[in-house]
Amino acid sequence: MKFKLKPIEKKWILYDIGNSAFALLISTIIPIYFNYLAGDAGISEVNYLAYWGYATSAATVIVAVLGPLLGTVSDAAGRKKKIFMIALLAGALGCVFLGFMQSWIWFLLLFVFAKSAYSLSLVIYDSMLTDITSEERMDEVSAQGYAWGYIGSCVPFICSLLLVLFYDKVGLSMQTAMGISFFLVAVWWIALTVPLLKSYCQTHSRKPTAHAGQSGAQRLGQIVSELRKDKKVLFFLVAFFFYIDGVYTIIEMATSYGKDVGIDDNSLLLALLLTQIVAFPFSILFGKLTKKYRTTDLISISIVGYIGIAAFALQLDKTWEFWFLAVLVAVFQGAIQALSRSHFARIIPKNKSSEYFGIYDIFGKGASFLGTMLMGITTQLADNSKVGVAVIGGMLVVGFVIFHF
């Protein structure tokens, strides 16, 4: 039988399309603009990459601290949508104000704020999966979310790309072109979230308490205790920590790494646009393959694919190699994220989905923090970004081994 999305599933997927525009901005245009601001301030290429890694890591730490607490609080009846909306608006406003920053340090600080809010919205959004679909549909719905997110985010990205590449042809300055680009992405992000906000209903919840913050901290402690007893969830989270480290770091540092090895801005942006387009069919394909193969087997294949990507990146120094690397990333990027999300949603208690996805986010963002931080530190110490890539490859291998325990 042909898989057909239900109306609420489509509206949930629309948020993937909306927020993916900002995610794409983070991995492409924002680091290029930061490099422009840092270059004007006399910051070296090596230090630019390191500072970018530190900022990304700072956002990760913030989300790792706040994510589980907000997730726990949002599991109470009637709170999930409200917390989700606050995080969404904070992230979108931060995106808009990035276009007004001309100091590299203020730009970096506002980036940390916007990225943190964006990531916190994803904690709640991911947990909504248990409310908007059934267990047997989770793999395909999650995969469709990532797939349409990749292709849909290309619309505002192409508009932004044209502005960035040809701003001088239409009489704009670099700063003005960037400001318009950030505004377009924020509007796109909010507009595509409205249908979900209108229709979403929290079906799995706990009774709300008078002191939400205190109760949230207590519940978080209880969840940690429960994890010690649930070995299936615990081992998955540990494995996830290591293998998703490679995935997130490659996504977040790809543009910076490409610039460091000599790839020009135009090639970087076009190659990453290609990644979005190629990722669309492969995300859907992996979702459909879950009907024939175990989700865990498909996750394993994706981890091996990323190990190969890290190995190939070690010798990367030509533009065509970066393009080839972009295609390889596209094949596995959506699959490993979507199937990890749906697999986790399937093995956790439904009425505690936000609590557990808060923990999930700790492991995911903790990995991202470690990966970007290690890449920043090793790049500065060795004065060579390829050493950082080798470390990321090692963490992928560790994740693969633990995943098969």
Side-chain angles (χ1 to χ4, degrees):
M1 181 183 293
K2 185 178 179 181
F3 184 80
K4 187 177 180 180
L5 290 169
K6 298 177 181 179
I8 187 61
E9 293 171 342
K10 291 179 181 178
K11 292 172 183 178
W12 182 81
I13 287 171
L14 279 176
Y15 185 71
D16 244 323
I17 299 174
N19 79 72
S20 292
F22 182 66
L24 187 55
L25 204 67
I26 290 173
S27 61
T28 54
I29 293 176
I30 288 180
I32 288 175
Y33 187 47
F34 173 62
N35 185 46
Y36 167 80
L37 294 175
D40 275 356
I43 306 298
S44 71
E45 287 291 329
V46 169
N47 284 332
Y48 144 74
L49 181 62
Y51 292 150
W52 183 253
Y54 296 151
T56 303
S57 298
T60 298
V61 171
I62 292 170
V63 177
V65 173
L66 295 181
L69 182 60
L70 290 182
T72 302
V73 172
S74 69
D75 268 333
R79 288 191 178 142
K80 189 173 290 190
K81 186 190 292 189
K82 295 175 183 176
I83 294 174
F84 172 69
M85 189 161 52
I86 291 171
L88 157 71
L89 292 175
L93 287 173
C95 179
V96 171
F97 284 111
L98 278 171
F100 293 93
M101 298 297 108
Q102 296 185 14
S103 162
W104 71 270
I105 185 66
W106 283 108
F107 181 88
L108 209 58
L109 290 172
L110 186 57
F111 164 74
V112 171
F113 171 81
K115 187 176 186 298
S116 298
Y118 153 77
S119 298
L120 288 171
S121 78
L122 291 183
V123 173
I124 311 301
Y125 171 71
D126 287 345
S127 73
M128 290 178 177
L129 184 60
T130 60
D131 292 325
I132 60 96
T133 193
S134 58
E135 283 197 14
E136 63 272 12
R137 296 173 62 86
M138 283 182 181
D139 286 327
E140 285 210 63
V141 172
S142 182
Q144 291 265 356
Y146 273 102
W148 287 105
Y150 290 134
I151 201 71
S153 62
C154 291
V155 176
F157 176 70
I158 290 173
C159 294
S160 300
L161 184 61
L162 291 173
L163 279 170
V164 171
L165 294 180
F166 304 109
Y167 63 89
D168 53 337
K169 306 294 183 183
V170 292
L172 297 175
S173 65
M174 166 71 90
Q175 289 90 339
T176 302
M178 286 294 179
I180 295 172
S181 298
F182 295 149
F183 179 76
L184 286 175
V185 168
V187 171
W188 174 271
W189 186 2
I190 292 175
L192 290 179
T193 310
V194 172
L196 178 62
L197 291 173
K198 286 184 174 180
S199 303
Y200 172 72
C201 180
Q202 187 175 352
T203 58
H204 299 96
S205 63
R206 296 180 293 100
K207 292 182 179 180
T209 57
H211 304 287
Q214 182 179 0
S215 174
Q218 292 172 345
R219 285 292 310 151
L220 182 58
Q222 292 174 15
I223 293 297
V224 172
S225 297
E226 290 174 14
L227 281 175
R228 295 173 184 170
K229 301 174 184 176
D230 194 337
K231 300 300 182 185
K232 183 177 183 180
V233 174
L234 181 60
F235 272 100
F236 170 75
L237 285 172
V238 174
F240 177 73
F241 172 87
F242 283 100
Y243 74 70
I244 210 66
D245 169 85
V247 176
Y248 285 164
T249 305
I250 288 171
I251 291 172
E252 293 177 350
M253 303 294 284
T255 304
S256 301
Y257 178 69
K259 287 188 67 63
D260 190 54
V261 296
I263 311 300
D264 66 87
D265 289 350
N266 289 359
S267 294
L268 283 171
L269 293 173
L270 292 173
L272 291 168
L273 176 60
L274 175 66
T275 300
Q276 299 296 110
I277 296 171
V278 175
F280 172 69
F282 278 98
S283 296
I284 292 178
L285 174 62
F286 271 88
K288 292 186 179 299
L289 287 174
T290 58
K291 299 297 182 184
K292 294 183 178 180
Y293 305 99
R294 294 187 307 172
T295 304
T296 51
D297 290 339
L298 295 174
I299 292 174
S300 295
I301 291 171
S302 299
I303 297 172
V304 171
Y306 261 95
I307 293 172
I309 288 168
F312 182 78
L314 289 173
Q315 56 80 54
L316 188 151
D317 58 5
K318 299 180 179 65
T319 300
W320 76 264
E321 292 177 337
F322 189 82
W323 281 79
F324 181 65
L325 188 71
V327 173
L328 292 178
V329 168
V331 172
F332 300 106
Q333 179 174 295
I336 197 167
Q337 293 180 89
L339 298 183
S340 294
R341 175 170 67 182
S342 57
H343 176 66
F344 187 70
R346 189 179 294 109
I347 62 176
I348 62 174
K350 303 299 176 289
N351 65 330
K352 302 175 183 177
S353 61
S354 292
E355 293 180 332
Y356 273 81
F357 267 103
I359 300 295
Y360 178 85
D361 201 66
I362 280 187
F363 281 81
K365 294 299 184 293
S368 178
F369 165 76
L370 184 61
T372 52
M373 183 63 73
L374 282 175
M375 191 161 183
I377 291 172
T378 53
T379 295
Q380 282 192 309
L381 291 177
D383 200 27
N384 188 337
S385 56
K386 292 184 179 181
V387 177
V389 174
V391 173
I392 301 307
M395 295 191 75
L396 281 161
V397 172
V398 173
F400 179 81
V401 172
I402 298 176
F403 188 67
H404 288 84
F405 270 46

